[in-house]
């Protein structure tokens, strides 16, 4: 049986006591350094999509070994929640491989990817996580729902309500999260896709916001919210509260894992291994139905730098080959909407994710720093993912395309083209892209076909 | 003299973040007659600076930076009585109290800034994450900081940075500290609006700005 949630709570109280500094350095850093060596895992700039399946298997085994050795650290009690290998393997075995989500004509099936079998990608779209004003939120959300290839929604958060700034942990967090859900429900109805599944309560930065929306008037059961794993392999009472509340109410938990490349896990190899361990542990600690991969470069943050692309590729293949679970991956760009660069970044990340077993989730334009995102970003992500699927793109060819795309933008991270705010790239009334923005996209499509052989 | 090989070993111990090796090597150098202050200025500081530079280039990672800074701390502690005996003092660019503000648990960026500041000779008080304004101000006073560094990664924790500035004003401590703020949603405009200095897009930029503010570099 999977270790139950009450037992997890018990272990936050009874597990071994460790100072946080020692967990970060002695446990995480040193163990991962040894595992990278032991399993011979090595970042390859020339092969951002790993063509050697043994490397993915090695990464999986390293991640499993790390999960068993390290466990998950509870910040509030300074104790480690530990699991033996059997418990971890059982967690993997019991993880869902398929979820029926949404209802009516908008119902979809979200599947775990199996290596060597390229299935229809599940497109999870929105300006995920981006802090927006009420007006920007209401206007821009429509542009994502309108996109026909989009299967599920995941839009931004609200940082100001009725002119009052929303503070984390204050009563305004409750107000913001409820208002967010009101806008989500309104927009889905308005665009005629009432049964579209969504991840929401993104304005919930503590457990307050989540708790406030767990009522059918706001977030209906059967939808999703995020429970982040703290860096690296850590959890706290706020996160566990989110898990407990959703688990009992019937909302699916998404384990949000942002391993930092250059952080406690070390380089891209370590980021991949720690993400794999976090996914395995999250199945038990977070009761995760879905695991979200977002290796963030410590300087550039987005998921488009080559180290980040490589790490997510390895994580995806590791699970797809060894123990398929439902993985999604963040499509986070440094560039903003309305630019050519954002399209290159989206394409490179999306091709990698689709080929390696992570359904694309995004687009987090400018990493959510500026309100510069639009539905056309998501269209690009969706059409690229579907093109990869329709053409049954081989890994080798995918690798070549991704390398070509990365070359186009990798020197621009220090000073990315941040593009424009939504009302400047879209006609707000009709929620359709401005002609010039559409033209940039059409040019990009031709380029993808002519230069890279990928027909969107 | 064995001073030169001890010199190499001190350098290597800092690069490797090896606190045991560093004490042995420092002790040996003292015995060989190397003056403690010149050991700090000419061997230890440059080695730690090298670690910081390698981190900035992406060749070293946060834990290595932390381990090197810890080894440095051990070495300086060992040298302290020797410095005192000679009535010598270490010159540092300044003292910084760093915190991730209330409500925010994003602390990796703050941890990197702390480590890189140490690598550049600053004395740093790391107040941790989710720290209320009142605590930040009280601790900065107690620590006699030159600089307060605030880190905020959420738009919804930016207001807590403003609180800190307000509190400083109310307590008549405006101008007592230079306040730098950084983290994802922070812009130069926001920093100016609340009366703080913008820390820059990453730790390297932040440290450069703080050095400049202290009249270095
Ligand atoms: C990693 C990460 C996490 C990790 C954090 C783990 C940890 N211990 O730090 C986890 C997974 C736990 C997490 C959780 C959440 N996150 Co988060 N996270 C990120 C992510 C991807 C990267 C941040 C990071 O660590 N970068 C790497 C470090 C090295 O860079 P940095 O922090 O920017 O710091 C550098 C510089 O900014 C600068 N700097 C920083 N501070 C200072 C201070 C001074 C004085 C100076 C000089 C310089 C300086 O130097 C640093 C080193 O170079 C960002 C994306 C982004 N755009 O930043 C989202 C992001 C910050 N998260 C976001 C959100 C929404 C959340 C959650 C609310 C998600 C949820 N629904 O639960 C929770 C928040 C919980 C809370 N109360 O804080 C949003 C915030 C949106 C906003 N602007 O409000 C972002 C922007 C992503 C997005 N678009 O959705 N997150």
């Amino acid at each position: 049986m999977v270790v139950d949630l009450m037992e997890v709570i018990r272990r936050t109280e009874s597990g071994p006591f460790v100072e946080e500094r020692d967990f970060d350095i002695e446990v995480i850093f040193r163990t991962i350094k040894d595992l990278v060596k032991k399993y011979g895992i090595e970042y390859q700039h020339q092969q951002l999509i790993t063509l050697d399946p043994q490397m993915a298997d090695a990464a999986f085994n390293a991640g499993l070994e790390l999960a068993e050795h390290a466990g998950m650290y509870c910040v509030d009690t300074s104790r480690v929640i530990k699991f033996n290998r059997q418990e971890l393997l059982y967690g993997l075995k019991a993880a869902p491989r398929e979820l029926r989500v949404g209802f009516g004509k908008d119902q979809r099936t979200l599947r775990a990817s199996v290596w060597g079998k390229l299935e229809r990608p599940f497109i999870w779209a929105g300006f995920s996580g981006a802090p927006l004003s009420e007006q920007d939120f209401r206007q821009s959300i429509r542009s994502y729902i309108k996109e026909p290839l989009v299967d599920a929604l995941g839009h931004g958060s609200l940082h100001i309500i009725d002119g009052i700034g929303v503070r984390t942990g204050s009563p305004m967090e409750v107000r913001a999260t409820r208002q967010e859900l009101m806008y989500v429900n309104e927009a889905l109805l308005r665009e005629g896709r009432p049964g579209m599944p969504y991840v929401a309560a993104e304005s919930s930065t503590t457990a307050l916001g989540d708790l406030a929306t767990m009522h059918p008037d706001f977030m209906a059961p059967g939808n999703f919210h995020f429970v982040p794993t703290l860096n690296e392999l850590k959890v706290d009472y706020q996160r566990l509260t989110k898990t407990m509340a959703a688990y009992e109410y019937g909302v699916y938990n998404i384990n949000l894992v942002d391993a930092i490349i250059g952080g406690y896990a070390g380089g891209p190899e370590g980021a991949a291994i720690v993400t794999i361990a976090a996914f395995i542990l999250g199945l038990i600690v977070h009761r995760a139905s879905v695991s979200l991969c977002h290796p963030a470069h410590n300087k550039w943050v987005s998921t488009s730098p080559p180290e980040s692309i490589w790490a997510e590729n390895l994580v995806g293949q590791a699970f797809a080959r060894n123990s398929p679970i439902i993985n999604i991956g963040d499509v986070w760009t440094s560039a903003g909407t309305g630019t050519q660069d954002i399209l290159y970044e989206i394409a490179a990340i999306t091709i990698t994710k689709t080929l390696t077993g992570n359904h694309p989730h995004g687009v987090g334009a400018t990493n959510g720093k500026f309100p510069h995102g639009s539905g056309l970003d998501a269209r690009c992500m969706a059409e690229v993912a579907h093109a990869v699927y329709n053409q049954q793109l081989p890994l080798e060819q995918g690798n070549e395309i991704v390398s070509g795309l990365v070359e186009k933008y990798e020197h621009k991270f220090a000073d990315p083209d941040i593009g424009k705010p939504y009302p400047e790239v879209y006609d707000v009334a009709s929620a359709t892209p401005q002609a010039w923005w559409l033209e940039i996209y059409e040019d990009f499509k031709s380029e993808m076909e002519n230069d890279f052989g990928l027909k969107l | 003299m064995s001073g030169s090989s001890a010199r190499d070993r001190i350098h290597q111990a800092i690069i490797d973040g090896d606190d045991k090796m560093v004490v042995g090597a420092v002790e040996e150098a003292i015995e060989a007659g190397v003056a403690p202050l010149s050991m700090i200025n000419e061997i230890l500081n440059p080695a730690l600076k090298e670690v910081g530079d390698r981190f900035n280039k992406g060749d070293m990672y946060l834990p290595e930076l932390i381990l090197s800074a810890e080894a440095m701390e051990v070495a300086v502690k060992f040298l302290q009585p020797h410095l005192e005996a000679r009535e010598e003092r270490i010159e540092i660019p300044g003292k910084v109290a760093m915190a991730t503000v209330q409500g925010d648990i994003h602390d990796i960026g703050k941890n990197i800034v702390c480590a890189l500041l140490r690598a550049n000779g600053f004395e740093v008080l790391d107040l941790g994450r989710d720290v209320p304004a009142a605590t930040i101000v009280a601790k900065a006073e107690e620590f006699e900081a030159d600089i307060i560094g605030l880190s905020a990664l959420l738009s919804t924790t930016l207001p807590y940075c403003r609180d800190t500035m307000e509190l400083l004003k109310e307590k008549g401590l405006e101008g007592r500290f230079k306040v730098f703020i950084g983290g994802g949603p922070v812009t130069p405009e926001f920093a100016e609006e609340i009366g703080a200095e913008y820390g820059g897009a990453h730790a390297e930029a932040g440290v450069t700005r703080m050095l400049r503010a202290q009249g270095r570099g």
Side-chain angles (χ1 to χ4, degrees), chain A residues 20-21 24-26 29-30 33 75 131 158-159 165-170 203 205-206 228 230-232 234 236 239 260-269 298-300 368-370, chain B residues 16-17 19 55-58 60-64 66-67 70 102-108 111-112 129 154-157 159-160 162-163 183-188 198 201-204:
Chain A
E20 192 168 354
R21 180 262 172 218
D24 293 339
I25 307 282
E26 307 303 335
F29 173 63
R30 294 207 199 275
K33 204 171 165 187
V75 173
L158 298 170
H159 70 90
V166 178
R167 288 173 173 231
T168 290
S170 79
S203 313
T205 46
T206 71
L230 313 183
N231 298 58
E232 306 292 354
K234 291 190 248 180
D236 62 5
R239 281 4 89 178
I260 304 290
I261 297 171
Y264 294 121
E269 300 90 349
N298 80 80
K299 229 167 170 177
W300 314 130
K369 188 167 171 104
F370 302 99
Chain B
D16 293 346
D19 54 3
F55 174 84
N56 288 334
K57 277 201 227 122
M60 280 177 103
Y61 307 126
L62 172 62
E64 293 163 312
I66 292 175
L67 285 168
E70 286 178 358
Q102 181 170 349
D104 217 316
I105 53 160
H106 293 89
D107 61 355
I108 304 290
N111 296 349
I112 292 178
R129 56 184 167 243
L154 296 167
S155 304
T156 50
T157 56
Y160 296 115
R162 190 191 299 271
D163 284 359
V186 176
T187 57
Y198 176 56
H202 42 71
E204 191 182 352

Side-chain angles (χ1 to χ4, degrees), chain A residues 359-391:
Chain A
H359 300 287
H361 170 258
V363 174
T366 72
N367 289 306
K369 188 167 171 104
F370 302 99
H372 297 188
S374 74
L376 194 59
D377 312 343
R379 184 184 304 176
C380 173
M381 177 178 89
E383 292 190 347
V384 167
H386 277 264
V388 168
Y389 163 65
N390 291 334
Q391 270 177 240

Side-chain angles (χ1 to χ4, degrees), chain A residues 396-444:
Chain A
E396 291 77 7
Q397 198 186 338
N399 182 51
E400 279 167 28
I401 303 177
V402 170
S403 293
L405 290 165
V406 167
E407 262 173 41
K408 288 181 185 285
Y409 63 75
E410 68 178 330
H411 54 285
K412 296 189 181 169
F413 289 119
D415 188 21
D417 186 349
I418 59 165
K420 294 183 179 359
Y422 176 75
E424 289 181 35
V425 297
Y426 260 59
D427 172 54
V428 170
S430 61
T432 49
Q434 299 285 1
W436 63 265
W437 177 207
L438 206 53
E439 208 170 295
I440 294 179
Y441 183 57
E442 291 303 328
D443 289 348
F444 160 81

Side-chain angles (χ1 to χ4, degrees), chain A residues 128-131 204-205 226 228-231 239 242 256 258 260 294 296 298 301 332 367-368, chain B residues 98 103-109 112-113 149-151 153-155 180-185 199 201-203 206 210:
Chain A
S128 180
S204 171
T205 46
F226 293 118
T229 297
L230 313 183
N231 298 58
R239 281 4 89 178
K242 287 184 176 220
L256 188 164
D258 293 354
I260 304 290
H294 183 142
N298 80 80
V301 187
W332 249 235
N367 289 306
Chain B
M98 279 287 301
D104 217 316
I105 53 160
H106 293 89
D107 61 355
I108 304 290
I112 292 178
V113 175
L150 303 178
S151 185
L153 268 285
L154 296 167
S155 304
F180 282 80
I181 84 169
H202 42 71
M210 290 190 195

Side-chain angles (χ1 to χ4, degrees), chain A residues 154-227:
Chain A
H155 206 49
S157 59
L158 298 170
H159 70 90
I160 181 162
I161 304 270
D162 295 343
I164 301 182
V166 178
R167 288 173 173 231
T168 290
S170 79
M172 289 305 287
E173 183 178 325
V174 172
R175 190 73 273 291
T177 315
R178 287 186 167 169
Q179 190 62 52
E180 174 199 324
L181 264 299
M182 287 157 83
Y183 287 143
V184 166
N185 290 321
E186 175 203 63
L188 291 176
L189 270 177
R190 181 173 180 178
E191 299 305 324
R193 302 186 76 177
M196 183 186 263
Y198 54 77
V199 54
E202 303 207 14
S203 313
S204 171
T205 46
T206 71
L208 276 181
D210 270 358
L211 289 168
T213 52
M214 287 195 192
H215 182 280
D217 285 354
F218 300 105
M219 190 184 323
N223 284 295
F224 298 81
H225 79 142
F226 293 118
V227 183

